[in-house]
Amino acid sequence: VKLADSKSLIVGTGDDFTINHDGSNTGLVNNTGHLYISNYADDKDIVFQNDNGSGGVTEYLRLDGSGQYLYLSASLGMYYADGCAARWGNDGDLIAYHDATDSHIANATGELIITQNTNDGNININCDDGSNGVTTYMSFDGGDTLINAYKDIVLSSSTNSPMLKLQVDGVTSDYGLKNVGGEFQIIHTTTDVPLVKMSSAGKMGINTGNTSI
């Protein structure tokens, strides 16, 4: 069947499906039920190709029938518009999106686990370096099994509760760090009694209890 431009191939008693070319573009229009694209050939794929920008065509997306996966091969990947979230999980449990100002990763079910499986590989946290570049602020070193901090770490709390509790071999110790009225204190967390105090004036007190230094 060969149809001239702007002539339609119409399928279905109620004109349910239409194929049309208007001289510039081709349209497939379904008006009833779902639109299925199926490949029943064993271990074969459905391949989406498009212009490659160099006078030819290339594969952009493939539904792999033997491997049972979706393979995206577009050189620039996939773009999501601002505010449009990528979702994973049956109930959209993990989402990632950019709201035109900030980027967000949010998990709603279970734990959020970040794993580096490369032998002796690191997980690096990089951020702006204040000089139009980026630098590593913290590294989880898989070779030396260390956590390396390359910048100052500031611990803060809006209450007098410990800013940092110490844990050894999975057991929380009876000691912690906190800031009280400008004094940096090493405290006994059970009794909340300071063992060491260091003031902003450079003074240090040991076993002074709750007395100011």
Side-chain angles (χ1 to χ4, degrees), residues 74-113:
S75 59
L76 295 179
M78 182 179 295
Y79 279 71
Y80 291 83
D82 290 339
C84 179
R87 299 176 182 270
W88 292 267
N90 290 346
D91 298 314
D93 307 296
L94 175 66
I95 67 172
Y97 67 96
H98 185 77
D99 63 9
T101 303
D102 303 305
S103 296
H104 305 262
I105 299 175
N107 177 54
T109 304
E111 298 179 351
L112 178 61
I113 300 172

Side-chain angles (χ1 to χ4, degrees), residues 183 197 208-213:
E183 288 183 347
K197 293 181 178 182
T208 60
N210 290 314
T211 303
S212 298
I213 59 174

